[in-house]
Amino acid sequence: MDNQAQTLTQHLRATIWARCLTAAQMVRVEAETFEQFVPKGGFVCRKGEPMESWTGIIDGLVKMNNFSPAGKSVTFTGVPAGGWFGEGSLLKDDRRKYDVIALRDTRVAQMPRATFEWLLETSLPFTRFLLMQLNERLGQFIGLVETDRLLNVDTRVARCLASMFNSHLYPGVEKVVQISQEEIGYLSGASRQRANQALQLLEKEGLVRIDYGGIRVLDVDGLRQFET
């Protein structure tokens, strides 16, 4: 189903973690989780805010971002439709360590802290899901550190696209990634022009095809292994 056509309830029922909940637990989740609209460039949440909810992307794309004391912008990762984030800070009862900014108009699901904590207390399968989520997230960020420190722009763009194909973190992503070259630049730390050059190289290598309004990924494993 097109994410844009999904209601909040349909989105919640399509998540991986919903499959492990009882009918009664799902009723409470659906009753207490609410939807928020964030326009392009708007903040889903800000660094330093108290953690009040677990957040999922119904439709759109966001970036986890921070600024250095000198004002330099650092993007950690992007979260496309189907992804949920913020569980680490909720578990630590910590304030947010980063800004989350919408790269396009975005629909967000917000599960209140009380609901999240209640699921932890009443659903062992949900707790197991979160352990897997945290493990996948750790692996993702280790890979991002390596990519940022050791690899050039072409390889960073390839890994950026490949990172969106994680069936646990981002189950909603399809082979055609609805992402612009400007957005890829934001997520890979490159200018729009440089990201475009990298995409053209990846297209010549047979790994992607540049379509109108998005990127068709032809070889995910090839993107993960690509280096120049």
Side-chain angles (χ1 to χ4, degrees):
M1 179 182 292
D2 185 350
N3 285 325
Q4 187 63 40
Q6 276 193 327
T7 65
L8 173 60
T9 297
Q10 288 169 330
H11 175 78
L12 293 173
R13 292 179 181 178
T15 61
I16 295 175
W17 50 266
R19 302 171 195 168
C20 66
L21 302 185
T22 66
Q25 288 168 335
M26 199 63 200
V27 167
R28 175 167 172 176
V29 166
E30 292 173 8
E32 297 180 356
T33 303
F34 60 94
E35 182 175 331
Q36 174 187 11
F37 173 78
V38 182
K40 179 180 178 180
F43 285 83
V44 177
C45 51
R46 293 176 181 268
K47 180 180 178 180
E49 289 180 339
M51 291 294 299
E52 300 296 343
S53 61
W54 190 40
T55 305
I57 305 303
I58 303 171
D59 179 60
L61 178 67
V62 304
K63 66 173 180 176
M64 295 180 179
N65 192 82
N66 232 332
F67 289 92
S68 72
K72 181 181 178 181
S73 177
V74 178
T75 297
F76 301 121
T77 189
V79 183
W84 286 75
F85 61 90
E87 61 278 349
S89 294
L90 279 170
L91 291 169
K92 291 186 295 183
D93 194 19
D94 201 358
R95 291 180 178 269
R96 293 192 185 273
K97 299 296 187 183
Y98 47 79
D99 295 317
V100 179
I101 302 170
L103 291 177
R104 66 178 77 145
D105 288 353
T106 298
R107 295 168 59 211
V108 176
Q110 301 281 16
M111 180 188 293
R113 168 191 284 276
T115 313
F116 177 86
E117 292 178 344
W118 174 75
L119 284 178
L120 279 177
E121 294 172 358
T122 61
S123 176
L124 181 58
F126 182 75
T127 302
R128 288 174 177 157
F129 164 84
L130 285 180
L131 285 173
M132 287 295 300
Q133 177 98 340
L134 290 167
N135 185 57
E136 292 291 337
R137 188 85 69 198
L138 176 61
Q140 180 189 48
F141 277 101
I142 289 174
L144 287 170
V145 170
E146 175 192 26
T147 297
D148 184 61
R149 295 185 179 180
L150 300 179
L151 306 176
N152 61 25
V153 174
D154 297 325
T155 308
R156 292 209 306 268
V157 169
R159 301 290 174 83
C160 173
L161 286 171
S163 71
M164 295 186 178
F165 289 86
N166 183 305
S167 60
H168 189 91
L169 293 176
Y170 314 126
V173 175
E174 300 179 352
K175 290 296 184 181
V176 178
V177 183
Q178 301 299 320
I179 188 171
S180 70
Q181 294 174 17
E182 181 181 28
E183 291 166 343
I184 292 174
Y186 281 133
L187 298 179
S188 58
S191 68
R192 181 186 182 282
Q193 293 78 9
R194 186 63 184 85
N196 179 42
Q197 293 175 6
L199 288 170
Q200 290 181 15
L201 174 61
L202 296 175
E203 188 171 43
K204 289 179 181 178
E205 294 291 328
L207 302 176
V208 304
R209 188 171 74 226
I210 303 172
D211 289 347
Y212 178 77
I215 309 297
R216 182 176 294 276
V217 173
L218 305 176
D219 185 350
V220 176
D221 288 336
L223 288 174
R224 292 187 178 119
Q225 298 168 12
F226 179 82
E227 287 191 33
T228 58

